[in-house]
Amino acid sequence: MKLDVNLCNNLKSIRTRLGMSQQELANIAGVTRQTIGGLESGQYAPSVTVSLCLAKALGCTVEELFWLEEDLPEIEAIVAESAPNQQRSRVSLARVGDQWIAYPLVGNDAFRIEMIPSDGEMVAVNQQPVISVSDRPALALAQRLVERKERHFQGEAKSQKVLVKLLNDMDKLQNTVVIAGCTPVLSLLAKATECWHPKLRVYYRFAHSKAALGSLCRGEVHIAGMHLYDPKTGEHNIPFVREASTDKNFVLITLGVWEEGLLVPPGNPRGIKTVSDLVEFGATIVTQQVGSGSRMLLERKLLEERVPFQNVKGLDHIAYNHQDVALSVVSGMADAGISTASIAAAFGLEFIPLHQARYDLVILKEYLEQSPVQQFLNILGHRLVRSQLEVLGGYDISKIGEVAANI
């Protein structure tokens, strides 16, 4: 409640939570009941002495009881994805390179298991492409128009300049590393990193491999997780990064090698052993978006076994992530799904291995010297982190933290 233009208090809320009447509080604090009523109604501001006495009587600090309400600061940022139709939107924020990035908290991006607290509120959207750099160094906005050869990245990327009202501490936002990827292991690494570096925040955004690489190329994230296989070269991830790299320099650091394959119900009631069995037994499959490593694995295996893609039932059943694939099989919505051995184990499903894929963390070299990125990468070799991945199963982490390539 406002006492004057800027002073607010929590007096009534704390008093009633403690079950105290105005008179009881007045007696303990050595003031009149009218003083308590006047403060709670916002008629006047307390003296220093009264503030200290009230805080002592309520068992709290003066700062918890009284505070100055200031206008929330606002910054300019680049929205990472298409802004929602409404002008106001909850967002997460991070400093990537020389620009602020705002990540709209809408749909699935608003949740992990619990709802994600917002760092700010987007209050204005300018949908014109950003074509210049701000003359304010602290809020510099960089041009994000990146040419891409691959179909997923074709066309000129348009940036949206937005105004964001801050709802979180600026130091925390500055000390954030942003990772896009699809493996749930990244959330484990995020928790571990924050335990060893309490001032660091790891912001994990779900994205399949090609989408994660696109975000990295556009300057929206520090690190992209990838598990794409190129059958022409027999290499993982490197050909895709090389094709999208344009004039940028990247380093690929191995997280591990995971087993990819088919998830089926316990006991494998349809007797599925290969992807061709999906058609032969009339099974329904669930997979992820076009451009995901799981989808590309399914397409490649169908091609190898000469099974027409359109003959497979359920290809329009698109799951958002690996957990959703497993839940679709568990619930009976699908007879099989493409995911990993660790996900199968977590959901009590049987697993039919199809491929071993190397999962790499792709990083722009210019970000390697930044403290948040260094702190995250340094945790990879820690024994407790390795133990978490070993217990999870389905991962070969013998080369975790090793550089797979420089591009």
Side-chain angles (χ1 to χ4, degrees):
M1 180 183 299
K2 288 191 176 182
L3 301 175
D4 56 22
V5 175
N6 294 316
L7 188 61
C8 301
N9 78 69
N10 211 18
L11 182 59
K12 185 176 181 180
S13 175
I14 295 177
R15 174 180 63 78
T16 55
R17 188 166 66 242
L18 295 175
M20 300 172 64
S21 67
Q22 287 185 344
Q23 187 61 62
E24 288 171 332
L25 176 57
N27 293 341
I28 297 173
V31 298
T32 66
R33 186 193 62 77
Q34 288 76 14
T35 297
I36 302 299
L39 290 172
E40 291 184 352
S41 63
Q43 294 179 8
Y44 62 89
S47 66
V48 173
T49 301
V50 170
S51 298
L52 291 170
C53 289
L54 288 171
K56 183 178 180 180
L58 293 170
C60 63
T61 66
V62 173
E63 288 79 7
E64 290 171 331
L65 194 56
F66 299 99
W67 67 92
L68 290 174
E69 184 181 75
E70 301 176 355
D71 290 335
L72 296 173
E74 296 179 340
I75 63 170
E76 288 179 323
I78 299 297
V79 66
E81 300 170 2
S82 298
N85 293 330
Q86 64 268 30
Q87 287 289 302
R88 307 177 79 89
S89 173
R90 298 170 64 247
V91 297
S92 288
L93 288 164
R95 187 81 172 178
V96 180
D98 60 355
Q99 62 188 7
W100 284 102
I101 304 295
Y103 310 93
L105 295 174
V106 294
N108 284 319
D109 289 328
F111 295 86
R112 292 297 178 260
I113 294 176
E114 71 284 356
M115 181 173 282
I116 300 172
S118 60
D119 297 324
E121 181 187 20
M122 192 164 63
V123 295
V125 178
N126 179 355
Q127 299 198 8
Q128 296 299 317
V130 176
I131 57 174
S132 63
V133 176
S134 171
D135 58 358
R136 289 179 288 175
L139 302 175
L141 297 174
Q143 194 170 347
R144 288 196 312 153
L145 304 178
V146 180
E147 293 180 1
R148 298 172 179 84
K149 300 177 184 178
E150 185 171 347
R151 179 182 177 185
H152 183 72
F153 304 133
Q154 283 180 350
E156 186 179 76
K158 290 187 176 181
S159 301
Q160 288 179 317
K161 184 166 60 176
V162 299
L163 190 63
V164 179
K165 183 182 294 184
L166 294 186
L167 303 176
N168 204 341
D169 181 73
M170 176 68 78
D171 290 339
K172 181 182 290 186
L173 302 182
Q174 292 271 16
N175 201 34
T176 298
V177 57
V178 187
I179 306 172
C182 66
T183 174
V185 165
L186 293 177
S187 61
L188 291 179
L189 295 178
K191 295 289 185 182
T193 305
E194 290 173 345
C195 285
W196 270 277
H197 303 285
K199 294 184 179 181
L200 175 70
R201 184 177 70 157
V202 182
Y203 181 48
Y204 166 52
R205 290 178 56 77
F206 178 84
H208 64 69
S209 294
K210 285 190 176 181
L213 179 59
S215 292
L216 182 66
C217 290
R218 293 191 298 272
E220 296 171 353
V221 300
H222 297 100
I223 302 172
M226 294 183 62
H227 61 110
L228 299 181
Y229 177 72
D230 178 23
K232 293 181 180 179
T233 62
E235 292 183 309
H236 286 93
N237 304 319
I238 295 172
F240 301 91
V241 177
R242 185 176 289 122
E243 189 172 1
S245 63
T246 61
D247 59 345
K248 300 179 183 295
N249 295 315
F250 297 84
V251 60
L252 281 71
I253 297 177
T254 297
L255 180 59
V257 176
W258 66 2
E259 292 183 280
E260 299 176 318
L262 289 167
L263 309 188
V264 295
N268 192 5
R270 287 186 175 268
I272 297 170
K273 295 181 179 180
T274 66
V275 293
S276 59
D277 290 341
L278 297 171
V279 175
E280 183 177 347
F281 301 148
T284 300
I285 195 168
V286 57
T287 184
Q288 296 185 50
Q289 297 166 297
V290 174
S292 67
S294 298
R295 181 81 171 205
M296 291 176 67
L297 172 61
L298 176 61
E299 292 170 352
R300 188 172 73 250
K301 289 300 180 180
L302 289 172
L303 183 62
E304 290 175 2
E305 298 185 25
R306 299 181 179 180
V307 177
F309 196 70
Q310 64 272 17
N311 288 1
V312 180
K313 293 172 58 178
L315 291 177
D316 57 345
H317 184 180
I318 304 299
Y320 177 70
N321 54 36
H322 289 282
Q323 296 95 307
D324 287 346
V325 170
L327 287 172
S328 296
V329 177
V330 169
S331 66
M333 294 178 62
D335 300 308
I338 297 286
S339 189
T340 68
S342 59
I343 292 294
F347 284 86
L349 298 170
E350 290 200 23
F351 181 73
I352 302 166
L354 297 176
H355 180 69
Q356 289 189 326
R358 192 182 73 230
Y359 199 102
D360 290 330
L361 302 177
V362 187
I363 311 163
L364 276 175
K365 286 189 177 180
E366 62 189 84
Y367 297 157
L368 286 176
E369 299 303 318
Q370 296 182 5
S371 178
V373 175
Q374 285 185 346
Q375 290 176 346
F376 177 79
L377 294 178
N378 289 343
I379 207 69
L380 295 180
H382 199 285
R383 179 59 197 168
L384 291 181
V385 172
R386 297 171 67 94
S387 298
Q388 287 281 343
L389 301 185
E390 289 168 354
V391 170
L392 185 63
Y395 282 84
D396 174 2
I397 57 169
S398 58
K399 294 186 178 181
I400 188 172
E402 292 188 8
V403 174
N406 284 281
I407 296 176

